[in-house]
Amino acid sequence: MTQAPAATRATRRQHDREIVMLAVPAFGALVAEPLFVMADSAIVGHLGTAQLAGLGVASALLTTAVSIFVFLAYATTAAVARRVGAGDLQAAIRQGMDGIWLALLIGATVIAVVLPSAPALINLFGASDTAAPYATTYLRISSLGIPAMLIVLAATGVLRGLQNTKTPLYVAISGFVANALLNVALVYGADLGIAGSAWGTVITQWGMAAVYLVVVVRGARRHGASLAPDAAGIRASAQAGAPLLVRTLSLRAILLIATAVAARLGDADIAAHQIILSLWSLLAFALDAIAIAGQAIIGRYLGAGDPQGARAACRRMVQWGIAVGVVLGLLVILSRPLFLPLFTSDPTVKDTALPALIMVALSQPICGVVYVLDGVLMGAGDGPYLAGAMLVTLAVFVPAALLVPTFGGGLTAIWAAMTLMMAVRMLTLLLRARSGRWVVTGATR
């Protein structure tokens, strides 16, 4: 009678160790990424307001372009992890190389689009006449680093699939330091201005990509995997990523709609919304780290033909998601007197943000379940369901958000709509998780 509970505790401890081992470095790497933009902003900000405004517009465009293709990391992680679970490291790395080649092709295409259209894109985002030239300069130069950024995404997916999240952490930290030093040297030392900041970032991104490629190429040679591009493999990577692209675009649409509605409510509301959104994004990093662990662990279990292990790991990760969500929510509530003054001294903005901030805090356990199950289903290669579920969520969110100006409630109502959006996501993901249809074993789905 005592063996079963002991075995259960041992299994939980094993899952806990795996989750911590993968999630903690993943969190560090996720947090390091936004620091690139922060470092650029701090350095360029001393050049002048117009330069900083130009950087803001160009960075928004670049961040959007890269985030759209985040499926390069997600789909690659799941595919590689399955083959790792099946014990075929050669096929795992070969699958990863297909993802990297796809990243290079997409990156080259994006450059071909951005370089000639940079002024039009900057104008579309409403840059002022004084900021537009700086924004165009930064965007054109920085676009040369887009293939590197996408290679980093795909290669990060390879290493996560190989159950290695420490190397991405080390590369991210090294990249942040190198980027800051290069920016200072080129912006001020070489007197290149905002162009120096762009070149420093491009050099850093290609340096990071080179490090990842060295690691992956060494692994390929060690296990006898081919490095040559394979048309069928690249096409399979694109097909696996397409549903995740739909999911990502739907989520981006939700965030853009929320911001657009907040902007229509007035300056205080949009200012408060940006503060709340920045916090929401930071909290998402902690929960996304568990999701990344879920992608790698679930893919490995299913690849090994262990559906029971996959289900047990899923249950444990959901418990982690809820627990971390509760902790994050409490931290937000307790730190709110300190958090808001960091961003604004305007009492109107503070009063507008406070109820929305509490709404965000209360929703964190829901967010924890959503992020974890999102990662589980990605790890299972269940992209088509995730795409459909996000389209349903978008269909619910849009009318709820657009009706806010009509029925009132201000920023709090917008974040109530955001909480509704997360609740719908949680419902769709729980239904799928409990159905067991995501549990498809084997080296490929």
Side-chain angles (χ1 to χ4, degrees):
M1 293 293 291
T2 59
Q3 290 182 346
T8 300
R9 287 195 297 271
T11 300
R12 286 180 178 175
R13 284 196 297 269
Q14 178 188 344
H15 289 150
D16 291 345
R17 282 194 299 269
E18 286 188 324
I19 292 168
V20 171
M21 182 181 69
L22 293 171
V24 171
F27 174 69
L30 289 168
V31 170
E33 291 173 9
L35 295 179
F36 273 71
V37 177
M38 290 180 65
D40 288 359
S41 299
I43 293 166
V44 171
H46 292 284
L47 294 174
T49 301
Q51 289 90 332
L52 183 59
L55 172 67
V57 173
S59 294
L61 278 164
L62 288 165
T63 302
T64 299
V66 174
S67 65
I68 286 172
F69 299 113
V70 73
F71 70 83
L72 289 165
Y74 294 159
T76 304
T77 297
V80 171
R82 274 185 175 269
R83 286 160 176 78
V84 168
D88 192 347
L89 289 178
Q90 182 186 74
I93 296 175
R94 175 64 261 179
Q95 178 71 43
M97 285 304 305
D98 292 334
I100 290 172
W101 279 111
L102 176 61
L104 189 58
L105 290 173
I106 293 174
T109 303
V110 173
I111 287 179
V113 172
V114 170
L115 279 178
S117 62
L121 290 171
I122 294 299
N123 184 60
L124 184 65
F125 265 60
S128 68
D129 292 339
T130 54
Y134 297 111
T136 301
T137 297
Y138 190 91
L139 181 60
R140 278 182 165 157
I141 297 173
S142 294
S143 68
L144 301 177
I146 288 177
M149 287 189 276
L150 299 186
I151 288 171
V152 167
L153 282 178
T156 299
V158 176
L159 295 181
R160 288 172 181 171
L162 293 170
Q163 319 294 296
N164 176 2
T165 57
K166 289 183 179 179
T167 299
L169 172 61
Y170 300 147
V171 175
I173 293 174
S174 301
F176 167 70
V177 174
N179 180 64
L181 294 175
L182 280 169
N183 269 258
V184 171
L186 295 175
V187 171
Y188 297 109
D191 198 26
L192 294 178
I194 195 170
S197 177
W199 280 117
T201 302
V202 168
I203 293 168
T204 300
Q205 288 160 347
W206 278 107
M208 293 171 65
V211 172
Y212 274 114
L213 289 174
V214 167
V215 173
V216 174
V217 167
R218 284 179 178 173
R221 289 176 175 169
R222 188 182 309 120
H223 297 288
S226 173
L227 298 174
D230 175 65
I234 294 171
R235 187 165 54 251
S237 294
Q239 289 171 346
L244 297 181
L245 176 60
V246 173
R247 167 200 168 275
T248 301
L249 288 173
S250 300
L251 184 55
R252 296 298 300 185
I254 286 170
L255 296 178
L256 287 173
I257 291 168
T259 301
V261 173
R264 291 178 178 273
L265 298 178
D267 289 347
D269 290 272
I270 186 59
H273 177 72
Q274 288 304 113
I275 294 171
I276 300 300
L277 190 59
S278 66
L279 175 64
W280 195 70
S281 299
L282 178 62
L283 297 172
F285 286 138
L287 298 172
D288 203 25
I290 306 174
I292 288 168
Q295 294 170 31
I297 293 170
I298 294 298
R300 192 190 72 229
Y301 272 117
L302 294 178
D306 185 359
Q308 291 302 111
R311 289 190 180 94
C314 174
R315 286 193 296 271
R316 190 57 178 164
M317 280 183 282
V318 169
Q319 292 169 357
W320 267 79
I322 294 171
V324 172
V326 169
V327 171
L328 292 176
L330 289 173
L331 287 175
V332 170
I333 291 174
L334 293 175
S335 66
R336 69 187 187 280
L338 302 174
F339 175 75
L340 291 175
L342 290 176
F343 290 87
T344 181
S345 57
D346 188 330
T348 303
V349 175
K350 289 181 183 178
D351 291 343
T352 303
L354 184 57
L357 190 67
I358 293 174
M359 183 75 67
V360 168
L362 295 176
S363 69
Q364 287 310 296
I366 296 174
C367 294
V369 176
V370 168
Y371 275 84
V372 166
L373 290 180
D374 214 33
V376 166
L377 296 185
M378 284 183 191
D382 205 12
Y385 182 84
L386 289 173
M390 274 306 302
L391 289 173
V392 170
T393 303
L394 178 62
V396 172
F397 174 79
V398 169
L402 295 181
L403 287 173
V404 168
T406 302
F407 289 97
L411 187 66
T412 305
I414 292 177
W415 279 95
M418 290 287 285
T419 302
L420 171 65
M421 178 269 294
M422 294 302 291
V424 172
R425 288 185 71 187
M426 182 178 70
L427 177 61
T428 58
L429 295 174
L430 282 172
L431 289 173
R432 187 64 167 182
R434 290 179 178 177
S435 74
R437 294 177 184 173
W438 58 276
V439 183
V440 180
T441 59
T444 58
R445 184 178 171 88

PDB file of all heavy atoms in Angstrom, residues 3 36 49 64 72 110 150 159 185 197 201 212 214 220 240 255 260 291 293 297 312 340 362 427:
ATOM      1  N   GLN A   3       3.912   1.500  -1.470  1.00  0.00           N
ATOM      2  CA  GLN A   3       4.792   1.622  -2.630  1.00  0.00           C
ATOM      3  C   GLN A   3       4.242   2.584  -3.675  1.00  0.00           C
ATOM      4  O   GLN A   3       4.977   3.353  -4.276  1.00  0.00           O
ATOM      5  CB  GLN A   3       5.019   0.249  -3.265  1.00  0.00           C
ATOM      6  CG  GLN A   3       5.876  -0.657  -2.388  1.00  0.00           C
ATOM      7  CD  GLN A   3       6.133  -1.992  -3.050  1.00  0.00           C
ATOM      8  OE1 GLN A   3       5.468  -2.342  -4.027  1.00  0.00           O
ATOM      9  NE2 GLN A   3       7.085  -2.739  -2.519  1.00  0.00           N
ATOM     10  N   PHE A  36      18.234  43.721 -25.064  1.00  0.00           N
ATOM     11  CA  PHE A  36      18.875  44.269 -26.261  1.00  0.00           C
ATOM     12  C   PHE A  36      18.268  45.633 -26.595  1.00  0.00           C
ATOM     13  O   PHE A  36      18.983  46.618 -26.795  1.00  0.00           O
ATOM     14  CB  PHE A  36      18.676  43.321 -27.451  1.00  0.00           C
ATOM     15  CG  PHE A  36      19.724  42.254 -27.564  1.00  0.00           C
ATOM     16  CD1 PHE A  36      19.772  41.211 -26.664  1.00  0.00           C
ATOM     17  CD2 PHE A  36      20.665  42.290 -28.573  1.00  0.00           C
ATOM     18  CE1 PHE A  36      20.729  40.223 -26.759  1.00  0.00           C
ATOM     19  CE2 PHE A  36      21.627  41.310 -28.690  1.00  0.00           C
ATOM     20  CZ  PHE A  36      21.669  40.267 -27.779  1.00  0.00           C
ATOM     21  N   THR A  49      16.061  63.292 -28.851  1.00  0.00           N
ATOM     22  CA  THR A  49      14.696  62.764 -28.846  1.00  0.00           C
ATOM     23  C   THR A  49      14.312  62.176 -30.193  1.00  0.00           C
ATOM     24  O   THR A  49      13.666  61.125 -30.270  1.00  0.00           O
ATOM     25  CB  THR A  49      13.708  63.883 -28.461  1.00  0.00           C
ATOM     26  OG1 THR A  49      14.058  64.390 -27.173  1.00  0.00           O
ATOM     27  CG2 THR A  49      12.282  63.356 -28.420  1.00  0.00           C
ATOM     28  N   THR A  64       8.168  42.964 -34.263  1.00  0.00           N
ATOM     29  CA  THR A  64       6.980  42.339 -34.836  1.00  0.00           C
ATOM     30  C   THR A  64       7.365  41.323 -35.905  1.00  0.00           C
ATOM     31  O   THR A  64       6.841  40.206 -35.939  1.00  0.00           O
ATOM     32  CB  THR A  64       6.058  43.408 -35.450  1.00  0.00           C
ATOM     33  OG1 THR A  64       5.649  44.315 -34.427  1.00  0.00           O
ATOM     34  CG2 THR A  64       4.818  42.766 -36.067  1.00  0.00           C
ATOM     35  N   LEU A  72       9.565  29.084 -35.619  1.00  0.00           N
ATOM     36  CA  LEU A  72      10.824  28.415 -35.956  1.00  0.00           C
ATOM     37  C   LEU A  72      11.423  27.747 -34.724  1.00  0.00           C
ATOM     38  O   LEU A  72      12.034  26.675 -34.821  1.00  0.00           O
ATOM     39  CB  LEU A  72      11.819  29.420 -36.544  1.00  0.00           C
ATOM     40  CG  LEU A  72      11.504  29.936 -37.954  1.00  0.00           C
ATOM     41  CD1 LEU A  72      12.337  31.162 -38.273  1.00  0.00           C
ATOM     42  CD2 LEU A  72      11.722  28.828 -38.979  1.00  0.00           C
ATOM     43  N   VAL A 110      12.677  38.326 -46.056  1.00  0.00           N
ATOM     44  CA  VAL A 110      12.308  39.520 -45.289  1.00  0.00           C
ATOM     45  C   VAL A 110      13.221  40.686 -45.641  1.00  0.00           C
ATOM     46  O   VAL A 110      12.771  41.834 -45.793  1.00  0.00           O
ATOM     47  CB  VAL A 110      12.349  39.228 -43.776  1.00  0.00           C
ATOM     48  CG1 VAL A 110      12.122  40.510 -42.976  1.00  0.00           C
ATOM     49  CG2 VAL A 110      11.290  38.190 -43.401  1.00  0.00           C
ATOM     50  N   LEU A 150      16.544  34.911 -36.942  1.00  0.00           N
ATOM     51  CA  LEU A 150      15.711  33.742 -37.212  1.00  0.00           C
ATOM     52  C   LEU A 150      16.515  32.450 -37.074  1.00  0.00           C
ATOM     53  O   LEU A 150      15.988  31.428 -36.618  1.00  0.00           O
ATOM     54  CB  LEU A 150      15.096  33.847 -38.609  1.00  0.00           C
ATOM     55  CG  LEU A 150      14.181  35.065 -38.832  1.00  0.00           C
ATOM     56  CD1 LEU A 150      13.520  34.991 -40.205  1.00  0.00           C
ATOM     57  CD2 LEU A 150      13.124  35.168 -37.748  1.00  0.00           C
ATOM     58  N   LEU A 159      18.334  23.130 -29.704  1.00  0.00           N
ATOM     59  CA  LEU A 159      18.948  22.839 -28.405  1.00  0.00           C
ATOM     60  C   LEU A 159      17.892  22.531 -27.342  1.00  0.00           C
ATOM     61  O   LEU A 159      18.087  21.658 -26.495  1.00  0.00           O
ATOM     62  CB  LEU A 159      19.827  24.014 -27.968  1.00  0.00           C
ATOM     63  CG  LEU A 159      21.045  24.272 -28.871  1.00  0.00           C
ATOM     64  CD1 LEU A 159      21.856  25.439 -28.349  1.00  0.00           C
ATOM     65  CD2 LEU A 159      21.922  23.035 -28.965  1.00  0.00           C
ATOM     66  N   ALA A 185      30.789  51.693 -28.483  1.00  0.00           N
ATOM     67  CA  ALA A 185      31.978  51.934 -29.306  1.00  0.00           C
ATOM     68  C   ALA A 185      31.620  52.553 -30.652  1.00  0.00           C
ATOM     69  O   ALA A 185      32.311  53.470 -31.130  1.00  0.00           O
ATOM     70  CB  ALA A 185      32.733  50.616 -29.514  1.00  0.00           C
ATOM     71  N   SER A 197      24.497  52.126 -33.641  1.00  0.00           N
ATOM     72  CA  SER A 197      23.688  51.235 -32.813  1.00  0.00           C
ATOM     73  C   SER A 197      23.149  50.070 -33.637  1.00  0.00           C
ATOM     74  O   SER A 197      23.164  48.922 -33.195  1.00  0.00           O
ATOM     75  CB  SER A 197      22.529  52.013 -32.185  1.00  0.00           C
ATOM     76  OG  SER A 197      21.689  51.160 -31.443  1.00  0.00           O
ATOM     77  N   THR A 201      24.176  46.025 -33.230  1.00  0.00           N
ATOM     78  CA  THR A 201      23.175  44.977 -33.027  1.00  0.00           C
ATOM     79  C   THR A 201      23.287  43.895 -34.100  1.00  0.00           C
ATOM     80  O   THR A 201      23.196  42.705 -33.803  1.00  0.00           O
ATOM     81  CB  THR A 201      21.760  45.585 -33.027  1.00  0.00           C
ATOM     82  OG1 THR A 201      21.676  46.573 -31.989  1.00  0.00           O
ATOM     83  CG2 THR A 201      20.707  44.518 -32.784  1.00  0.00           C
ATOM     84  N   TYR A 212      25.685  29.487 -32.293  1.00  0.00           N
ATOM     85  CA  TYR A 212      24.692  28.414 -32.389  1.00  0.00           C
ATOM     86  C   TYR A 212      25.034  27.439 -33.513  1.00  0.00           C
ATOM     87  O   TYR A 212      24.924  26.216 -33.353  1.00  0.00           O
ATOM     88  CB  TYR A 212      23.303  29.005 -32.643  1.00  0.00           C
ATOM     89  CG  TYR A 212      22.566  29.420 -31.395  1.00  0.00           C
ATOM     90  CD1 TYR A 212      22.282  30.758 -31.136  1.00  0.00           C
ATOM     91  CD2 TYR A 212      22.146  28.473 -30.469  1.00  0.00           C
ATOM     92  CE1 TYR A 212      21.594  31.139 -29.994  1.00  0.00           C
ATOM     93  CE2 TYR A 212      21.456  28.854 -29.324  1.00  0.00           C
ATOM     94  CZ  TYR A 212      21.186  30.184 -29.095  1.00  0.00           C
ATOM     95  OH  TYR A 212      20.513  30.561 -27.952  1.00  0.00           O
ATOM     96  N   VAL A 214      27.937  26.742 -34.793  1.00  0.00           N
ATOM     97  CA  VAL A 214      29.089  25.911 -34.405  1.00  0.00           C
ATOM     98  C   VAL A 214      28.633  24.754 -33.521  1.00  0.00           C
ATOM     99  O   VAL A 214      29.032  23.601 -33.714  1.00  0.00           O
ATOM    100  CB  VAL A 214      30.145  26.771 -33.676  1.00  0.00           C
ATOM    101  CG1 VAL A 214      31.185  25.869 -32.994  1.00  0.00           C
ATOM    102  CG2 VAL A 214      30.837  27.703 -34.653  1.00  0.00           C
ATOM    103  N   ALA A 220      26.050  17.685 -35.389  1.00  0.00           N
ATOM    104  CA  ALA A 220      25.748  16.976 -36.635  1.00  0.00           C
ATOM    105  C   ALA A 220      26.896  16.069 -37.040  1.00  0.00           C
ATOM    106  O   ALA A 220      26.697  14.916 -37.443  1.00  0.00           O
ATOM    107  CB  ALA A 220      25.441  17.987 -37.741  1.00  0.00           C
ATOM    108  N   ALA A 240       4.836  22.235 -40.606  1.00  0.00           N
ATOM    109  CA  ALA A 240       4.621  22.114 -39.155  1.00  0.00           C
ATOM    110  C   ALA A 240       4.486  23.488 -38.509  1.00  0.00           C
ATOM    111  O   ALA A 240       3.756  23.660 -37.530  1.00  0.00           O
ATOM    112  CB  ALA A 240       5.779  21.348 -38.529  1.00  0.00           C
ATOM    113  N   LEU A 255      -3.387  41.686 -29.194  1.00  0.00           N
ATOM    114  CA  LEU A 255      -2.624  42.721 -28.498  1.00  0.00           C
ATOM    115  C   LEU A 255      -2.746  44.070 -29.204  1.00  0.00           C
ATOM    116  O   LEU A 255      -2.860  45.120 -28.548  1.00  0.00           O
ATOM    117  CB  LEU A 255      -1.154  42.301 -28.407  1.00  0.00           C
ATOM    118  CG  LEU A 255      -0.875  41.040 -27.582  1.00  0.00           C
ATOM    119  CD1 LEU A 255       0.601  40.697 -27.617  1.00  0.00           C
ATOM    120  CD2 LEU A 255      -1.351  41.205 -26.147  1.00  0.00           C
ATOM    121  N   ALA A 260      -5.142  49.539 -29.558  1.00  0.00           N
ATOM    122  CA  ALA A 260      -5.900  50.502 -30.358  1.00  0.00           C
ATOM    123  C   ALA A 260      -7.120  51.016 -29.595  1.00  0.00           C
ATOM    124  O   ALA A 260      -7.434  52.215 -29.613  1.00  0.00           O
ATOM    125  CB  ALA A 260      -6.329  49.869 -31.676  1.00  0.00           C
ATOM    126  N   ALA A 291       6.447  26.610 -20.144  1.00  0.00           N
ATOM    127  CA  ALA A 291       5.923  26.117 -21.416  1.00  0.00           C
ATOM    128  C   ALA A 291       7.037  25.554 -22.288  1.00  0.00           C
ATOM    129  O   ALA A 291       6.867  24.530 -22.964  1.00  0.00           O
ATOM    130  CB  ALA A 291       5.199  27.236 -22.157  1.00  0.00           C
ATOM    131  N   ALA A 293       9.842  24.245 -21.200  1.00  0.00           N
ATOM    132  CA  ALA A 293      10.171  22.945 -20.619  1.00  0.00           C
ATOM    133  C   ALA A 293       9.146  21.903 -21.060  1.00  0.00           C
ATOM    134  O   ALA A 293       9.494  20.753 -21.371  1.00  0.00           O
ATOM    135  CB  ALA A 293      10.203  23.049 -19.085  1.00  0.00           C
ATOM    136  N   ILE A 297       9.954  18.320 -22.882  1.00  0.00           N
ATOM    137  CA  ILE A 297       9.680  17.093 -22.120  1.00  0.00           C
ATOM    138  C   ILE A 297       8.592  16.270 -22.785  1.00  0.00           C
ATOM    139  O   ILE A 297       8.729  15.042 -22.940  1.00  0.00           O
ATOM    140  CB  ILE A 297       9.293  17.451 -20.669  1.00  0.00           C
ATOM    141  CG1 ILE A 297      10.496  18.058 -19.940  1.00  0.00           C
ATOM    142  CG2 ILE A 297       8.784  16.221 -19.922  1.00  0.00           C
ATOM    143  CD1 ILE A 297      10.163  18.660 -18.586  1.00  0.00           C
ATOM    144  N   ALA A 312       1.463  12.194 -17.306  1.00  0.00           N
ATOM    145  CA  ALA A 312       1.890  12.519 -15.944  1.00  0.00           C
ATOM    146  C   ALA A 312       2.680  13.828 -15.929  1.00  0.00           C
ATOM    147  O   ALA A 312       2.504  14.667 -15.040  1.00  0.00           O
ATOM    148  CB  ALA A 312       2.738  11.381 -15.378  1.00  0.00           C
ATOM    149  N   LEU A 340       4.031  51.052  -9.870  1.00  0.00           N
ATOM    150  CA  LEU A 340       3.498  52.153 -10.685  1.00  0.00           C
ATOM    151  C   LEU A 340       4.373  53.412 -10.650  1.00  0.00           C
ATOM    152  O   LEU A 340       4.592  54.030 -11.701  1.00  0.00           O
ATOM    153  CB  LEU A 340       2.068  52.476 -10.265  1.00  0.00           C
ATOM    154  CG  LEU A 340       1.026  51.399 -10.611  1.00  0.00           C
ATOM    155  CD1 LEU A 340      -0.338  51.757 -10.047  1.00  0.00           C
ATOM    156  CD2 LEU A 340       0.941  51.208 -12.125  1.00  0.00           C
ATOM    157  N   LEU A 362      -5.082  38.925 -10.646  1.00  0.00           N
ATOM    158  CA  LEU A 362      -6.060  37.854 -10.417  1.00  0.00           C
ATOM    159  C   LEU A 362      -6.086  36.836 -11.557  1.00  0.00           C
ATOM    160  O   LEU A 362      -6.473  35.681 -11.353  1.00  0.00           O
ATOM    161  CB  LEU A 362      -7.456  38.470 -10.233  1.00  0.00           C
ATOM    162  CG  LEU A 362      -7.641  39.352  -8.990  1.00  0.00           C
ATOM    163  CD1 LEU A 362      -9.027  39.978  -8.986  1.00  0.00           C
ATOM    164  CD2 LEU A 362      -7.413  38.545  -7.710  1.00  0.00           C
ATOM    165  N   LEU A 427     -10.036  27.277 -21.521  1.00  0.00           N
ATOM    166  CA  LEU A 427     -11.111  26.310 -21.757  1.00  0.00           C
ATOM    167  C   LEU A 427     -10.806  25.435 -22.968  1.00  0.00           C
ATOM    168  O   LEU A 427     -10.928  24.209 -22.897  1.00  0.00           O
ATOM    169  CB  LEU A 427     -12.433  27.042 -21.950  1.00  0.00           C
ATOM    170  CG  LEU A 427     -13.651  26.168 -22.282  1.00  0.00           C
ATOM    171  CD1 LEU A 427     -13.916  25.189 -21.140  1.00  0.00           C
ATOM    172  CD2 LEU A 427     -14.877  27.030 -22.552  1.00  0.00           C
TER     173      LEU A 427
END
